[in-house]
Amino acid sequence: MANRAMANSIERRSGVSLWRQIADQILHSIAIGDFAENAALPPEMALAERYGVNRHTVRSAIAALVQEGVLRAEQGRGTFVLSRKRLSYPIGRRTRFSAGLQGQASERRSVLLEATVEPASRRVADALKLARGSDVIRLEARGEADGQSVSRATSWFEARRFAGIDAAMAETGSITASLERFGVNDYLRQSTVLSARHADAADLADLDLRPGAIVLVTVAVNVTPDGQPIQFAETRFPAERVELKLSAL
Amino acid sequence: MANRAMANSIERRSGVSLWRQIADQILHSIAIGDFAENAALPPEMALAERYGVNRHTVRSAIAALVQEGVLRAEQGRGTFVLSRKRLSYPIGRRTRFSAGLQGQASERRSVLLEATVEPASRRVADALKLARGSDVIRLEARGEADGQSVSRATSWFEARRFAGIDAAMAETGSITASLERFGVNDYLRQSTVLSARHADAADLADLDLRPGAIVLVTVAVNVTPDGQPIQFAETRFPAERVELKLSAL
DNA sequence: AAAATTTGTCTATTGATATAGACAACTATA
DNA sequence: TATAGTTGTCTATATCAATAGACAAATTTT
């Protein structure tokens, strides 16, 4: 398995530097479990040969990953893997942040970054079945698991019905708990659309990523059991730290 | 919306060249519908100012997208968007390639690229509930919609039970039809795990992508209605052409 | 017809990326 | 205590990426 995963070649003149491509591949190998925690990476010379580049180029890749805290290099001994496998984030009819990561991370929370009231864009109005331009509350939140950023969500709620949900969210750190204060004791995932792209500047800052990283993006609508839309959300997940597990619903 | 989407800034010294980052952002803007088909892109000077780079850098980004067939530049007139929005590929309890894209592409088919018998790796054996090392058939197939590559799948089946499925697949061009010949009239999606990464060399060739492109990866198990696993598959989707729509199951 | 706008081409310069080789510093092992 | 294997540092050179400015070529607007 290690062979198949690391045999991937790299492309020149692609706009992505060789060291970045190699760093990405090493990161991928770790993520799919090619290296156990604390395992030694192959020596620089071996990696250079495998990828067909100079040893210094491999060193640039390793330096970047050391900087990111993924690897630790020790002179005379070798280079070692620090980071663990990806978190698996379940998505299903009842998708909840904290409950979903139970068992994978001991400490998990949702941090409210910003809350504002704004007129609904077409996209938001359509999803929540509101008139375009009517007031909605936008919440910006970051999900953290064991101190690491694992998600970054932007949510919209009807302002009239959920006035004050920002305060509830700041207090409880949970969407589920906040919605309960408004009489929503249960809600279901109506639709989820999934895509992936390179992280933009905001993602880089919020999720503590390096430029060139990939984010998984879900756009979802949550509804009450009787089908009334209550939340529209776009969530970004760092692909190198998180995978999404679509659970049978 | 155009403002928000294109206001994303770019990072220097990241290992990803500025022209590649700008090309990615333009691609993203198109994908989320910021530009209608045949709409004009802002002039090079305007884009250069927006991203804070030299006009020549923007030109490199545009040149790459012209090369990829996404844009068309006309001297004296402007630069125009050619490509359409992303396909939306439904994933649910009954995920079928051809049926899923009905209405979005007039011509769609699955092309068998390779078929071999091999011993099951641990990953495959676990998924299909077979003994490790027992024979499995591996099928490599590409999904095409209106002549464009939209998916690249690697599937495994128990060799004993599905001997000859490669021939059936070559003939019918459909997994569903092939399985019917083996008495499988219905099957369900048991699990799907989703991730994203940069395209590797094989993806680049098979899906006709440029280096640096992103692929969505699904790893799925299909089972008969009574829960017997019949197919294990890893499918790669080009993120710039496809989004995954998780349907209510 | 003239002016303004926009893409295309050229030259030149600077900084980041990649290659090449040599040797130092450190660790583990024979 | 050598010796082999590994990471760390240095110098030098070539190519790619990005900036800067000027002007040509084509199209649209005035």
Side-chain angles (χ1 to χ4, degrees), chain A residues 51-69:
Chain A
Y51 291 115
V53 301
N54 192 274
R55 177 181 158 229
H56 294 295
T57 306
V58 169
R59 282 181 61 74
S60 296
I62 290 175
L65 295 177
V66 167
Q67 182 67 27
E68 290 169 34

Side-chain angles (χ1 to χ4, degrees), chain B residues 35-164:
Chain B
F35 299 101
E37 207 157 327
N38 291 319
L41 220 62
E44 293 169 352
M45 282 302 293
L47 289 173
E49 198 167 350
R50 171 176 298 172
Y51 291 115
V53 300
N54 192 275
R55 178 183 157 228
H56 294 294
T57 306
V58 169
R59 281 181 62 73
S60 296
I62 290 175
L65 295 177
V66 168
Q67 182 67 27
E68 289 169 36
V70 174
L71 300 175
R72 180 186 67 246
E74 293 182 28
Q75 184 170 156
R77 298 221 316 137
T79 303
F80 302 89
V81 175
L82 288 175
S83 74
R84 55 187 176 287
K85 288 189 68 174
R86 285 190 286 225
L87 284 180
S88 191
Y89 187 92
I91 290 190
R93 210 157 161 69
R94 280 166 209 280
T95 296
R96 308 286 187 269
F97 175 73
S98 184
L101 298 180
Q102 208 161 20
Q104 299 185 68
S106 56
E107 185 259 318
R108 48 201 186 277
R109 57 180 181 155
S110 205
V111 180
L112 181 64
L113 303 176
E114 188 194 344
T116 57
V117 173
E118 61 185 25
S121 65
R122 204 189 81 199
R123 184 180 173 226
V124 171
D126 284 356
L128 293 178
K129 297 216 169 84
L130 299 174
R132 187 170 179 180
S134 56
D135 278 352
V136 289
I137 299 172
R138 173 167 57 85
L139 299 185
E140 303 283 349
R142 177 173 54 225
E144 299 177 358
D146 291 339
Q148 206 175 32
S149 302
V150 294
S151 69
R152 178 70 182 72
T154 304
S155 306
W156 288 267
F157 301 87
E158 183 185 2
R160 208 174 42 171
R161 175 162 181 193
F162 296 103

